[in-house]
């Protein structure tokens, strides 16, 4: 099944969010933060935020499709070119209200702990313009077939064209894929999942960066 990488269209965004939830279903941290993984409300909420960001020129969203079924993405990646700091976008002053997520769909205490641990690390490493990989997800039915690697290659090519460094907060499963493409570990966040009901063991988020180089840096 030959895969190709293409820019996402607005019609792809809900499917991309669904892929993200399907791919994260086996992630132990994600299971505790979102015990009702992939509900319609969570998918619609994610698609809402992606649609709001879609026209922002600093946001880039790409998909992988099988050429035999080009209308259905099997993987996607989203990255943002940030100036410095947390990498969050300001958005509109009075944005429309997002779809409501029912109480119980999110473990807000664990979510806040994770964000609180990651945010100062992100701020420390984003001292100048940087490409932040916000998400890269592959449909479980198409994992280990090269779709994720194609998206990382697209990210690296974009970085080389612009001459910017890259930053990613990686899951344990994806860490080696980034290492093999020139990223290096610069920090880590360990969370004791055993502190939470139904949790077990330590979960590590690896902070990785790739130095700036390429044509864009030379200009």
């Amino acid at each position: 099944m030959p895969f190709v990488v293409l820019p996402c269209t607005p019609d792809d965004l809900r499917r991309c969010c669904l892929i993200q939830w399907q791919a994260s279903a086996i992630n132990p941290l994600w299971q505790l933060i979102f015990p009702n993984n992939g509900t319609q409300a969570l998918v619609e909420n994610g698609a809402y935020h992606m649609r709001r960001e879609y026209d922002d020129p600093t946001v880039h969203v790409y998909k992988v499709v099988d050429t035999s079924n080009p209308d259905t993405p099997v993987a996607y990646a989203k990255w943002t070119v940030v100036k410095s700091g947390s990498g969050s976008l300001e958005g509109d002053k009075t944005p429309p209200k997002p779809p409501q997520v029912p109480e119980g769909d999110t473990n807000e205490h664990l979510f806040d702990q994770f964000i609180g641990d990651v945010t100062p690390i992100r701020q420390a490493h984003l001292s100048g313009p940087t490409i932040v990989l916000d998400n890269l997800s592959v449909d479980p039915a198409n994992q280990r077939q090269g779709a994720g690697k194609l998206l990382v290659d697209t990210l690296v090519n974009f970085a080389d064209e612009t001459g910017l460094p890259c930053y990613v907060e990686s899951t344990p499963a994806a860490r080696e894929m980034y290492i093999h493409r020139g990223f290096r570990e610069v920090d880590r966040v360990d969370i004791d999942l055993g502190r939470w009901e139904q949790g077990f063991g330590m979960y590590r988020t690896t902070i990785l960066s790739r130095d700036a180089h390429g044509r864009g840096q030379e200009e």
Side-chain angles (χ1 to χ4, degrees), residues 120-182:
I121 296 175
R122 177 179 284 208
Q123 290 174 336
H125 288 286
L126 301 187
S127 58
T130 305
I131 302 167
V132 176
L133 180 60
D134 301 308
N135 190 269
L136 189 156
S137 298
V138 181
D139 187 319
N142 294 275
Q143 290 180 358
R144 300 188 181 280
Q145 298 176 32
K149 295 176 182 177
L150 283 175
L151 288 168
V152 177
D153 288 342
T154 303
L155 168 65
V156 167
N157 290 338
F158 178 86
D160 288 348
E161 289 288 341
T162 57
L164 294 175
C166 299
Y167 171 97
V168 61
E169 294 149 7
S170 175
T171 64
R175 178 183 179 277
E176 292 304 314
M177 177 176 66
Y178 297 114
I179 293 291
H180 290 158
R181 277 155 182 78

Side-chain angles (χ1 to χ4, degrees), residues 102-131:
E103 184 177 352
D105 274 6
T106 305
N107 181 336
E108 294 184 3
H109 295 294
L110 180 53
F111 179 78
D112 288 344
Q113 178 189 336
F114 177 70
I115 296 300
D117 289 346
V118 167
T119 297
I121 296 175
R122 177 179 284 208
Q123 290 174 336
H125 288 286
L126 301 187
S127 58
T130 305
I131 302 167

